[in-house]
CSV table of all heavy atoms in Angstrom, one decimal:
chain,number,residue,atom,x,y,z
V,1,LEU,N,75.2,40.8,78.1
V,1,LEU,CA,76.6,40.9,77.7
V,1,LEU,C,76.8,40.4,76.3
V,1,LEU,O,77.5,41.0,75.5
V,1,LEU,CB,77.4,40.2,78.6
V,1,LEU,CG,77.5,40.8,80.0
V,1,LEU,CD1,78.4,39.9,81.0
V,1,LEU,CD2,78.2,42.2,80.0
V,2,ASN,N,76.1,39.3,75.9
V,2,ASN,CA,76.2,38.8,74.5
V,2,ASN,C,75.6,39.8,73.5
V,2,ASN,O,76.2,40.0,72.5
V,2,ASN,CB,75.5,37.5,74.4
V,2,ASN,CG,76.3,36.3,75.0
V,2,ASN,OD1,77.4,36.4,75.3
V,2,ASN,ND2,75.5,35.3,75.4
V,3,LEU,N,74.5,40.4,73.8
V,3,LEU,CA,73.9,41.4,72.9
V,3,LEU,C,74.8,42.6,72.8
V,3,LEU,O,74.9,43.2,71.7
V,3,LEU,CB,72.5,41.8,73.5
V,3,LEU,CG,71.4,40.7,73.3
V,3,LEU,CD1,70.2,41.1,74.1
V,3,LEU,CD2,71.1,40.6,71.9
V,4,LEU,N,75.5,43.0,73.9
V,4,LEU,CA,76.4,44.2,73.8
V,4,LEU,C,77.5,43.9,72.9
V,4,LEU,O,78.0,44.8,72.2
V,4,LEU,CB,76.9,44.6,75.2
V,4,LEU,CG,75.9,45.2,76.1
V,4,LEU,CD1,76.4,45.4,77.5
V,4,LEU,CD2,75.6,46.6,75.6
V,5,LYS,N,77.9,42.6,72.8
V,5,LYS,CA,78.9,42.2,71.7
V,5,LYS,C,78.4,42.4,70.3
V,5,LYS,O,79.1,42.9,69.5
V,5,LYS,CB,79.4,40.8,72.0
V,5,LYS,CG,80.2,40.6,73.2
V,5,LYS,CD,80.5,39.1,73.4
V,5,LYS,CE,81.1,38.9,74.8
V,5,LYS,NZ,81.2,37.4,75.1
V,6,HIS,N,77.1,42.1,70.1
V,6,HIS,CA,76.5,42.3,68.8
V,6,HIS,C,76.3,43.8,68.5
V,6,HIS,O,76.5,44.2,67.4
V,6,HIS,CB,75.3,41.5,68.7
V,6,HIS,CG,74.6,41.6,67.4
V,6,HIS,ND1,75.0,40.9,66.3
V,6,HIS,CD2,73.6,42.4,67.0
V,6,HIS,CE1,74.2,41.3,65.2
V,6,HIS,NE2,73.4,42.1,65.6
V,7,TYR,N,75.8,44.5,69.4
V,7,TYR,CA,75.5,45.9,69.3
V,7,TYR,C,76.6,46.7,69.8
V,7,TYR,O,76.4,47.6,70.7
V,7,TYR,CB,74.1,46.2,70.0
V,7,TYR,CG,73.0,45.7,69.3
V,7,TYR,CD1,72.4,44.4,69.9
V,7,TYR,CD2,72.4,46.2,68.2
V,7,TYR,CE1,71.3,43.9,69.2
V,7,TYR,CE2,71.3,45.7,67.6
V,7,TYR,CZ,70.8,44.5,68.1
V,7,TYR,OH,69.7,43.9,67.5
V,8,ASN,N,77.8,46.5,69.3
V,8,ASN,CA,79.0,47.1,69.8
V,8,ASN,C,79.2,48.5,69.3
V,8,ASN,O,78.9,48.7,68.1
V,8,ASN,CB,80.2,46.3,69.3
V,8,ASN,CG,81.5,46.7,70.1
V,8,ASN,OD1,81.5,47.3,71.1
V,8,ASN,ND2,82.7,46.3,69.4
V,9,ILE,N,79.5,49.5,70.2
V,9,ILE,CA,79.7,50.9,69.8
V,9,ILE,C,81.1,51.2,70.3
V,9,ILE,O,81.6,50.7,71.3
V,9,ILE,CB,78.6,51.9,70.3
V,9,ILE,CG1,78.4,51.8,71.8
V,9,ILE,CG2,77.3,51.5,69.5
V,9,ILE,CD1,77.5,52.8,72.3
V,10,SER,N,81.7,52.4,69.8
V,10,SER,CA,83.0,52.8,70.3
V,10,SER,C,82.8,53.2,71.8
V,10,SER,O,81.8,53.6,72.2
V,10,SER,CB,83.4,53.9,69.4
V,10,SER,OG,82.7,55.1,69.7
V,11,LYS,N,84.0,53.3,72.4
V,11,LYS,CA,84.0,53.7,73.8
V,11,LYS,C,83.6,55.2,73.9
V,11,LYS,O,82.9,55.6,74.9
V,11,LYS,CB,85.4,53.6,74.4
V,11,LYS,CG,85.7,52.1,74.6
V,11,LYS,CD,87.1,52.0,75.4
V,11,LYS,CE,87.4,50.5,75.7
V,11,LYS,NZ,88.7,50.3,76.3
V,12,GLU,N,83.9,56.0,72.9
V,12,GLU,CA,83.6,57.4,72.9
V,12,GLU,C,82.0,57.6,72.9
V,12,GLU,O,81.5,58.4,73.6
V,12,GLU,CB,84.2,58.2,71.7
V,12,GLU,CG,85.7,58.3,71.8
V,12,GLU,CD,86.4,57.1,71.3
V,12,GLU,OE1,85.8,56.2,70.5
V,12,GLU,OE2,87.6,56.9,71.7
V,13,GLU,N,81.4,56.7,72.1
V,13,GLU,CA,79.9,56.8,72.1
V,13,GLU,C,79.3,56.3,73.4
V,13,GLU,O,78.3,56.8,73.8
V,13,GLU,CB,79.4,56.0,70.8
V,13,GLU,CG,79.7,56.6,69.5
V,13,GLU,CD,79.3,55.8,68.4
V,13,GLU,OE1,79.5,54.5,68.4
V,13,GLU,OE2,78.7,56.3,67.4
V,14,LYS,N,79.9,55.2,73.8
V,14,LYS,CA,79.4,54.5,75.0
V,14,LYS,C,79.5,55.4,76.2
V,14,LYS,O,78.6,55.4,77.1
V,14,LYS,CB,80.1,53.2,75.2
V,14,LYS,CG,79.5,52.3,76.3
V,14,LYS,CD,80.3,51.0,76.5
V,14,LYS,CE,80.1,50.1,75.3
V,14,LYS,NZ,80.8,48.9,75.5
V,15,TYR,N,80.6,56.1,76.4
V,15,TYR,CA,80.8,56.9,77.6
V,15,TYR,C,80.8,58.4,77.3
V,15,TYR,O,81.7,59.1,77.9
V,15,TYR,CB,82.2,56.4,78.2
V,15,TYR,CG,82.2,55.0,78.6
V,15,TYR,CD1,83.0,54.1,77.9
V,15,TYR,CD2,81.4,54.5,79.5
V,15,TYR,CE1,83.1,52.7,78.2
V,15,TYR,CE2,81.4,53.1,79.9
V,15,TYR,CZ,82.2,52.3,79.1
V,15,TYR,OH,82.3,51.0,79.5
V,16,ASN,N,79.9,58.8,76.5
V,16,ASN,CA,79.9,60.2,76.1
V,16,ASN,C,79.0,61.0,77.2
V,16,ASN,O,78.8,62.3,77.0
V,16,ASN,CB,79.3,60.4,74.7
V,16,ASN,CG,77.8,60.0,74.6
V,16,ASN,OD1,77.2,59.6,75.6
V,16,ASN,ND2,77.3,60.1,73.4
V,17,GLY,N,78.6,60.4,78.2
V,17,GLY,CA,77.9,61.1,79.3
V,17,GLY,C,76.4,61.4,79.0
V,17,GLY,O,75.7,62.0,79.8
V,18,GLN,N,75.9,60.8,77.9
V,18,GLN,CA,74.5,60.9,77.6
V,18,GLN,C,73.8,59.6,77.7
V,18,GLN,O,73.8,58.9,76.7
V,18,GLN,CB,74.3,61.6,76.2
V,18,GLN,CG,74.9,62.9,76.1
V,18,GLN,CD,74.8,63.5,74.7
V,18,GLN,OE1,74.7,62.7,73.7
V,18,GLN,NE2,74.9,64.7,74.5
V,19,LEU,N,73.0,59.4,78.7
V,19,LEU,CA,72.3,58.1,78.9
V,19,LEU,C,71.0,58.3,78.2
V,19,LEU,O,70.5,59.4,78.0
V,19,LEU,CB,72.0,57.9,80.4
V,19,LEU,CG,73.3,57.7,81.3
V,19,LEU,CD1,72.8,57.6,82.7
V,19,LEU,CD2,74.0,56.3,80.8
V,20,VAL,N,70.4,57.2,77.8
V,20,VAL,CA,69.1,57.3,77.2
V,20,VAL,C,68.1,57.5,78.3
V,20,VAL,O,67.1,58.4,78.1
V,20,VAL,CB,68.8,55.9,76.4
V,20,VAL,CG1,67.3,55.9,75.9
V,20,VAL,CG2,69.7,55.7,75.3
V,21,PHE,N,68.2,56.8,79.4
V,21,PHE,CA,67.4,57.0,80.5
V,21,PHE,C,68.2,57.5,81.8
V,21,PHE,O,69.0,56.8,82.4
V,21,PHE,CB,66.7,55.7,81.0
V,21,PHE,CG,65.8,55.1,79.9
V,21,PHE,CD1,66.3,54.0,79.2
V,21,PHE,CD2,64.6,55.7,79.6
V,21,PHE,CE1,65.5,53.5,78.1
V,21,PHE,CE2,63.8,55.2,78.5
V,21,PHE,CZ,64.3,54.1,77.9
V,22,SER,N,68.2,58.8,82.0
V,22,SER,CA,69.0,59.4,83.0
V,22,SER,C,68.5,59.1,84.4
V,22,SER,O,67.3,59.0,84.6
V,22,SER,CB,69.0,60.9,82.8
V,22,SER,OG,69.5,61.5,83.9
V,23,LYS,N,69.4,58.8,85.3
V,23,LYS,CA,69.0,58.5,86.7
V,23,LYS,C,68.3,59.7,87.3
V,23,LYS,O,67.4,59.6,88.1
V,23,LYS,CB,70.3,58.2,87.5
V,23,LYS,CG,70.1,57.1,88.5
V,23,LYS,CD,71.5,56.9,89.2
V,23,LYS,CE,71.3,55.7,90.2
V,23,LYS,NZ,72.6,55.4,90.8
V,24,GLU,N,68.7,60.9,86.9
V,24,GLU,CA,68.0,62.1,87.4
V,24,GLU,C,66.6,62.2,87.0
V,24,GLU,O,65.8,63.0,87.7
V,24,GLU,CB,68.8,63.4,87.0
V,24,GLU,CG,70.1,63.6,87.7
V,24,GLU,CD,71.3,62.8,87.1
V,24,GLU,OE1,71.2,62.6,85.8
V,24,GLU,OE2,72.1,62.3,87.8
V,25,SER,N,66.2,61.6,86.0
V,25,SER,CA,64.8,61.7,85.4
V,25,SER,C,63.9,60.8,86.2
V,25,SER,O,62.6,60.8,86.1
V,25,SER,CB,64.7,61.4,83.9
V,25,SER,OG,65.1,60.1,83.7
V,26,ILE,N,64.4,59.9,87.1
V,26,ILE,CA,63.6,59.0,87.8
V,26,ILE,C,63.1,59.7,89.1
V,26,ILE,O,63.8,60.2,89.9
V,26,ILE,CB,64.4,57.8,88.3
V,26,ILE,CG1,64.9,57.0,87.0
V,26,ILE,CG2,63.6,56.8,89.1
V,26,ILE,CD1,65.8,55.9,87.2
V,27,PRO,N,61.8,59.9,89.2
V,27,PRO,CA,61.2,60.5,90.3
V,27,PRO,C,61.5,59.9,91.7
V,27,PRO,O,61.8,58.7,91.8
V,27,PRO,CB,59.7,60.5,90.1
V,27,PRO,CG,59.5,60.0,88.7
V,27,PRO,CD,60.7,59.3,88.3
V,28,GLU,N,61.5,60.7,92.7
V,28,GLU,CA,61.8,60.1,94.1
V,28,GLU,C,60.5,59.5,94.8
V,28,GLU,O,60.7,58.5,95.5
V,28,GLU,CB,62.3,61.2,94.9
V,28,GLU,CG,63.7,61.7,94.6
V,28,GLU,CD,64.4,62.7,95.5
V,28,GLU,OE1,64.0,62.7,96.7
V,28,GLU,OE2,65.2,63.5,95.0
V,29,LYS,N,59.4,60.0,94.5
V,29,LYS,CA,58.2,59.5,95.2
V,29,LYS,C,57.8,58.2,94.5
V,29,LYS,O,57.9,57.9,93.4
V,29,LYS,CB,57.0,60.5,95.1
V,29,LYS,CG,57.3,61.8,95.8
V,29,LYS,CD,56.2,62.8,95.7
V,29,LYS,CE,56.4,64.0,96.5
V,29,LYS,NZ,55.4,65.0,96.4
V,30,LEU,N,57.4,57.2,95.4
V,30,LEU,CA,57.2,55.9,95.0
V,30,LEU,C,56.2,55.7,93.9
V,30,LEU,O,56.4,55.0,92.9
V,30,LEU,CB,56.7,55.0,96.2
V,30,LEU,CG,56.5,53.6,96.0
V,30,LEU,CD1,57.8,52.9,95.5
V,30,LEU,CD2,56.0,52.8,97.2
V,31,LEU,N,55.0,56.3,94.0
V,31,LEU,CA,53.9,56.2,92.9
V,31,LEU,C,54.5,56.7,91.6
V,31,LEU,O,54.3,56.1,90.6
V,31,LEU,CB,52.7,56.9,93.3
V,31,LEU,CG,51.6,56.9,92.3
V,31,LEU,CD1,51.1,55.4,92.0
V,31,LEU,CD2,50.3,57.7,92.7
V,32,GLU,N,55.0,57.9,91.7
V,32,GLU,CA,55.7,58.5,90.5
V,32,GLU,C,56.7,57.6,89.9
V,32,GLU,O,56.8,57.4,88.7
V,32,GLU,CB,56.2,59.9,90.8
V,32,GLU,CG,55.2,60.9,91.1
V,32,GLU,CD,55.7,62.2,91.7
V,32,GLU,OE1,56.9,62.3,91.7
V,32,GLU,OE2,54.9,63.1,92.0
V,33,LYS,N,57.6,57.1,90.7
V,33,LYS,CA,58.7,56.2,90.3
V,33,LYS,C,58.1,54.9,89.6
V,33,LYS,O,58.6,54.5,88.6
V,33,LYS,CB,59.5,55.8,91.5
V,33,LYS,CG,60.8,55.0,91.0
V,33,LYS,CD,61.6,54.6,92.2
V,33,LYS,CE,62.3,55.8,92.8
V,33,LYS,NZ,63.2,55.5,93.8
V,34,ARG,N,57.0,54.4,90.2
V,34,ARG,CA,56.4,53.1,89.6
V,34,ARG,C,55.8,53.5,88.2
V,34,ARG,O,56.0,52.7,87.3
V,34,ARG,CB,55.4,52.6,90.5
V,34,ARG,CG,55.9,51.9,91.8
V,34,ARG,CD,54.9,51.2,92.6
V,34,ARG,NE,54.2,50.1,91.9
V,34,ARG,CZ,54.6,49.0,91.7
V,34,ARG,NH1,55.8,48.6,92.1
V,34,ARG,NH2,53.9,48.1,91.1
């Protein structure tokens, strides 16, 4: 939370729907996920 204060970006940038690491890109199988 403290670092987020330092690396502050606008709400438009923060919530633009583009994650760096998308949840969809995480595989379902355990070995692949690890």
Side-chain angles (χ1 to χ4, degrees):
L1 291 174
N2 288 337
L3 287 169
L4 284 171
K5 290 176 188 171
H6 179 78
Y7 292 98
N8 193 16
I9 58 173
S10 69
K11 287 184 179 181
E12 291 81 25
E13 290 173 317
K14 191 181 291 184
Y15 301 112
N16 68 2
Q18 297 176 339
L19 297 173
V20 175
F21 299 104
S22 168
K23 214 176 187 182
E24 286 82 35
S25 64
I26 299 173
E28 290 185 27
K29 295 182 180 178
L30 186 60
L31 178 61
E32 294 168 0
K33 187 181 286 189
R34 288 186 59 82

